[in-house]
């Protein structure tokens, strides 16, 4: 895992701008604590930071290719892991390329020399990188197929900036942290839109996209998209194939020259990954596993609509089954109410997030992981691919003609509930959601042979894989990187996704339960109680003292005449939160909306401005 930031200009001599390079040095320090370097020419400036994971002595950045006369021809600033780099190195060696080190970074460099931007189609992994073609004076940006690694850019008359996070772009001086009407809609509607950023003049490289910038301007193209095709395997073959692909993925993803660990929640997804990693290690190394639990839940957990059971008992069973070196982090309300921790989360995310308690707890867990490990594998992506969430299965949500996770809110606003009602109406949040939904539905690839129900389940899967998964992967990446931890997501391997995406829905739920295909594929690896456990999402704290603490924070913020967020909040709804026994719920304000107001305060305090 690394962080990249750079600038291209056809009007300024960037080789004479040490002020710029120095400003860019500190932008992404946590993404790359092991090394910072720079490369410049009159037209381009690269400032990569490195978190060393593979080939600790080699793999320095930027990686540079030269011609026979020693002239620089290609410069690569790279972040990520390519898990088929060994095979690619062998193929490129047969084609005459010579390698100086054993890193995947140099493999990507040589692959670009050989195939140009089309090299992305050959890469199996998680990555985001920038290439400066010296001869063509062209910048090429490439992002992995699911957006596991972030990559943003901004074009202005003065130049073109790119970086792993928006905060990096701001250090180039081309743009500032400004949120306009479109950005506020994107930030608070909970309808993640590929390519859109919450900041003015800033775009995100779409997963599976190549962005090219030269004197002719910006060109964008896709090298990968979801494709619908007939599935011809029977159920037994499908289960066996899923298992074989998973085993191959894990074999590749345990490659590292630093300590590796796995996240363990006691659910099917993380437990399957932990078991497969444990097998792949082969007893030569004891697996480290990590989990998080809210202290309040140990004695006070109450089942709710989506959380049927606490994680801790299942984590204990799975850790004992594996014989792993396990560490459980207990989070209490004091961790969640810590203002510095909240502000750190907002800085890491560059925006407010849905469910502040989940984000703060994951940030704390990432810090704990970093004490013992640099790389951790997670079960993220499985629910979206195999159909784990409740909105895949409840007819009410399936029939909702909106993003299914919004249907699951029972028409309550997730994040915008405290926004001024006049502003809410003027921005037309419902219209924005409808537009984004119709836009997404129009993209869904179909074979044309689907039944009505099969078509709807494919639509819901596509919405989850291209929209909701972005929330999950952003959370994993940003909060992991805030602690300098690389997160690997085996379920987001494109060979697995291409196969499972086209498995008919009746095979995915063959035993009548969520994720039955995955359950069958790993049935021999898990204790029966873990194998049969009902889906339970990432936990959200039930401690009533947390809501009380949020109310106290909101009161402090709204009584501060200098707090800029107050200009966006609805006075009557704020009053209902502060005085109503339901904490504003009767007025339509969810806990997430209170958390969003607190986060917007931290956001504005960090220097973000709003233009409405």
């Amino acid at each position: 895992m690394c962080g990249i930031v750079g600038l291209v200009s056809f009007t300024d001599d960037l080789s004479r701008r040490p002020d710029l390079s120095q400003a860019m040095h500190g932008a992404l320090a946590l993404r790359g604590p092991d090394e910072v370097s720079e490369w410049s020419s009159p037209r381009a400036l690269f400032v990569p930071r490195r978190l060393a994971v593979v080939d600790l002595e080699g793999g320095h950045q930027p990686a540079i290719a030269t011609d026979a006369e020693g002239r620089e021809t290609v410069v690569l600033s790279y972040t990520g892991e390519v898990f088929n780099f060994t095979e690619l190195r062998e193929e490129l060696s047969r084609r005459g390329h010579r390698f100086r080190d054993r890193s995947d970074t140099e493999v990507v460099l040589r692959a670009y020399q050989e195939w140009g931007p089309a090299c992305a189609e050959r890469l199996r992994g998680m990555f985001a990188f920038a290439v400066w073609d010296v001869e063509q004076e062209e910048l090429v940006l490439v992002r992995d197929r699911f957006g596991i690694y972030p990559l943003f850019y901004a074009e202005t008359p003065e130049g073109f900036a790119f970086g792993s996070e928006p905060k990096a772009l701001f250090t180039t001086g081309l743009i500032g942290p400004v949120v306009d009407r479109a950005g506020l809609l994107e930030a608070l509607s909970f309808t993640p839109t590929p390519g859109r950023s919450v900041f003015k003049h800033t775009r995100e490289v779409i997963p599976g996209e190549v962005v090219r910038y030269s004197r002719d301007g910006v060109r964008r193209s896709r090298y990968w998209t979801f494709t619908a095709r007939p599935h011809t395997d029977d159920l037994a073959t499908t289960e066996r194939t899923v298992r074989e692909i998973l085993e191959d993925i894990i074999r590749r993803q345990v490659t590292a020259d630093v300590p590796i660990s796995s996240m363990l929640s006691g659910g099917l997804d993380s437990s399957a990954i932990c078991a497969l990693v444990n097998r792949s290690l082969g007893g030569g190394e004891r697996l480290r596993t990590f989990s998080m639990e809210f202290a309040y839940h140990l004695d006070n957990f109450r089942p709710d609509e989506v959380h049927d059971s606490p994680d801790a008992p299942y984590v204990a069973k799975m850790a004992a089954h594996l014989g792993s070196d396990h560490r459980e982090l207990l989070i209490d309300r004091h961790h969640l109410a810590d203002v510095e921790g909240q502000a750190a989360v907002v800085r890491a995310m560059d925006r407010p997030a849905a469910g502040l308690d989940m984000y703060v707890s994951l940030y704390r867990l990432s810090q704990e992981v970093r004490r013992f490990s640099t790389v951790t594998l997670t079960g993220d992506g499985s629910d979206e691919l195999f159909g784990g969430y409740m909105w895949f299965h409840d007819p009410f949500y399936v029939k909702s003609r909106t993003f299914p996770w919004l249907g699951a809110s029972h028409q309550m606003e997730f994040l915008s509930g405290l926004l001024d009602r006049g502003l809410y109406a003027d921005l037309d949040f419902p219209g924005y959601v409808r537009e984004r939904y119709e836009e997404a539905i129009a993209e869904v690839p179909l074979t044309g042979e689907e039944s009505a129900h099969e078509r709807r389940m494919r639509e819901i899967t596509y919405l989850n894989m291209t929209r909701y998964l972005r929330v999950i992967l952003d959370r994993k990446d940003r909060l992991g990187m805030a602690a300098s931890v690389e997160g690997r997501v085996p379920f987001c391997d494109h060979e697995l996704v291409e196969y499972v995406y086209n498995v008919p829905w009746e095979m995915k739920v063959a035993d009548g339960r969520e994720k039955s295909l995955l359950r069958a594929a790993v049935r021999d690896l898990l204790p029966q109680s873990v194998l049969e456990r009902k889906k339970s999402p990432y936990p959200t704290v039930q401690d009533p003292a947390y809501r009380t603490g949020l109310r106290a924070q909101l009161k402090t913020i709204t009584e501060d005449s200098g707090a800029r967020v107050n200009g966006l909040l609805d006075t009557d709804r704020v009053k209902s939160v502060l005085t109503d026994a339901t904490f504003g719920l009767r007025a339509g304000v969810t806990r997430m909306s209170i958390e969003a107001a607190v986060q917007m305060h931290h956001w504005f305090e960090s220097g973000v401005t709003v233009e409405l």
Side-chain angles (χ1 to χ4, degrees), residues 21-42:
S21 62
Q22 282 302 116
M24 294 157 69
H25 272 200
L28 301 170
L30 294 174
R31 295 192 81 94
D34 296 327
E35 182 181 9
V36 59
S37 55
E38 65 180 75
W39 175 90
S40 66
S41 72

Side-chain angles (χ1 to χ4, degrees), residues 148-284:
I148 303 170
Y149 274 57
L151 187 55
F152 295 83
Y153 64 94
E155 181 187 16
T156 75
E158 292 74 34
F160 185 98
F162 67 89
S164 297
E165 300 175 10
K167 64 174 66 70
L169 304 185
F170 305 146
T171 66
T172 68
L174 290 189
I175 60 169
V178 177
V179 178
D180 59 10
R181 296 168 68 92
L184 196 61
L185 279 164
E186 184 68 19
L188 299 181
S189 64
F190 204 23
T191 57
T193 309
R196 289 181 179 241
S197 166
V198 299
F199 293 104
K200 189 176 180 181
H201 302 309
T202 304
R203 284 188 58 87
E204 178 186 51
V205 178
I206 294 173
E209 185 179 52
V210 175
V211 175
R212 304 170 76 158
Y213 175 72
S214 66
R215 294 180 186 273
D216 296 327
V218 177
R219 290 180 292 158
R220 301 196 299 269
S221 61
R222 300 291 293 274
Y223 70 89
W224 187 89
T225 59
F226 283 84
T227 303
R229 59 177 66 94
H231 184 78
T232 58
D233 292 344
D234 61 20
L235 181 58
T237 303
T238 301
E239 293 170 356
R240 184 171 61 252
T241 302
V242 168
R243 173 63 171 269
E244 290 171 353
I245 296 174
L246 280 171
E247 289 177 339
D248 180 55
I249 293 168
I250 296 300
R251 176 183 61 81
R252 296 171 182 276
Q253 294 203 11
V254 295
T255 300
D257 296 326
V258 293
I260 281 186
S261 63
S262 288
M263 296 289 201
L264 178 59
S265 71
L268 176 64
D269 310 329
S270 67
S271 296
I273 295 301
C274 288
L276 288 164
V277 171
N278 205 40
R279 276 199 171 193
S280 188
L281 294 176

Side-chain angles (χ1 to χ4, degrees), residues 425-495:
D426 184 45
L427 292 176
D428 188 14
F429 272 78
Y432 184 79
V433 171
R434 284 193 302 271
E435 186 177 350
R436 298 286 77 77
Y437 175 75
E438 295 300 332
E439 183 179 85
I441 286 295
E443 300 170 1
V444 179
L446 301 166
T447 64
E449 302 298 322
E450 296 90 353
S451 66
H453 184 65
E454 179 68 25
R455 174 178 179 142
R456 183 56 180 161
M457 299 318 296
R458 187 179 286 275
E459 288 175 346
I460 293 176
T461 301
Y462 184 85
L463 293 173
N464 277 270
M465 290 298 298
T466 62
R467 268 65 176 179
Y468 195 79
L469 182 59
R470 176 187 169 192
V471 175
I472 304 300
L473 294 179
D474 280 354
R475 182 174 69 191
K476 172 207 65 70
D477 173 82
R478 298 297 192 90
L479 300 182
M481 279 291 88
S484 301
V485 173
E486 176 184 286
R488 297 182 178 180
V489 279
F491 286 115
C492 293
D493 175 271
H494 79 273
E495 293 191 8

